Amino acid sequence: MRIDPDSRALGGFSTFLTFVALNLLYILVCLPIVTIGAATSALYEVTIRYSDDESGRPLKDFFPAFRANFGRATVLMLCLLLPAALLGFSSVFWFAYPALFAGVAGVVAVIGAVYLFAAFLYAMAQVAFLTGPARQTLKNSVLLPAAEPVRTLGVLVIPVTAVALTILFPPVAILIATIGFSVGAYATAFLFRSVFTRHEA
């Protein structure tokens, strides 16, 4: 029996293994916490590139992208993801109180956290896809969720669904740890490319 190395089945399995390895690499690089921004921008860079007719080498290109994006991505993470996390924690505090004003404050905090998280994802994708100063990228990232509500909803659906399924069905965490981040980034890559093409000028 001869195995054709160019067969579609073998190629599909090779791609699957690449995305599994990329997912594990991303999780490992995120562990120091401060590297989450650079790791996310690197993940977006290799998946956005791969979404363009499967160009690039996701695994080999990850660390060069990580090093190149580290400065801008870290600054933008501190400007967007950190406040989003603080708002998320504050919403838990407010929802612990039965008063009406506390409930309203909790809802506002959740909305703010979700909006800033979407802005963070846009920022990391811009770092990966475009060149420009951090200040302009930050401005664009804050404006894009409001300018592109439908595509922003599409970008948020994947992480929100992943978190919800993990809470409802904890074994889903195994799937997310295996391919969730890399496949999710690849799926949203098409949305990011569409958004940036519309606003590139």
Side-chain angles (χ1 to χ4, degrees):
M1 181 178 71
R2 297 178 61 186
I3 298 177
D4 182 7
D6 296 324
S7 68
R8 296 180 64 181
L10 192 60
F13 184 66
S14 176
T15 300
F16 172 76
L17 290 180
T18 297
F19 273 80
V20 170
L22 184 62
N23 200 81
L24 296 175
L25 180 61
Y26 171 74
I27 293 173
L28 182 64
V29 174
C30 281
L31 289 180
I33 305 299
V34 72
T35 55
I36 289 175
T40 303
S41 68
L43 180 66
Y44 278 145
E45 181 166 332
V46 297
T47 52
I48 289 173
R49 193 178 301 163
Y50 193 77
S51 70
D52 185 13
D53 296 326
E54 299 185 0
S55 60
R57 304 160 300 174
L59 282 176
K60 291 184 178 180
D61 294 342
F62 183 85
F63 277 115
F66 177 85
R67 289 191 296 270
N69 299 343
F70 187 86
R72 278 199 306 154
T74 302
V75 169
L76 291 165
M77 180 193 74
L78 293 175
C79 292
L80 296 168
L81 188 60
L82 182 59
L86 292 175
L87 283 172
F89 284 124
S90 70
S91 71
V92 175
F93 169 80
W94 286 115
F95 284 135
Y97 289 89
L100 177 61
F101 79 90
V104 173
V107 170
V108 171
V110 168
I111 293 173
V114 172
Y115 190 93
L116 285 176
F117 179 68
F120 164 74
L121 296 180
Y122 273 117
M124 296 304 100
Q126 284 181 87
V127 170
F129 193 71
L130 304 169
T131 58
R135 178 180 293 183
Q136 185 62 49
T137 303
L138 177 62
K139 179 182 177 181
N140 294 342
S141 302
V142 172
L143 294 175
L144 278 171
E148 295 284 350
V150 176
R151 290 176 175 82
T152 299
L153 183 61
V155 168
L156 289 173
V157 160
I158 293 175
V160 169
T161 302
V163 171
L165 288 177
T166 302
I167 293 172
L168 294 174
F169 308 103
V172 172
I174 299 173
L175 183 63
I176 293 172
T178 305
I179 59 170
F181 293 104
S182 57
V183 172
Y186 178 71
T188 55
F190 296 94
L191 290 172
F192 285 131
R193 287 176 58 197
S194 173
V195 169
F196 297 153
T197 299
R198 282 164 52 86
H199 297 275
E200 198 166 8

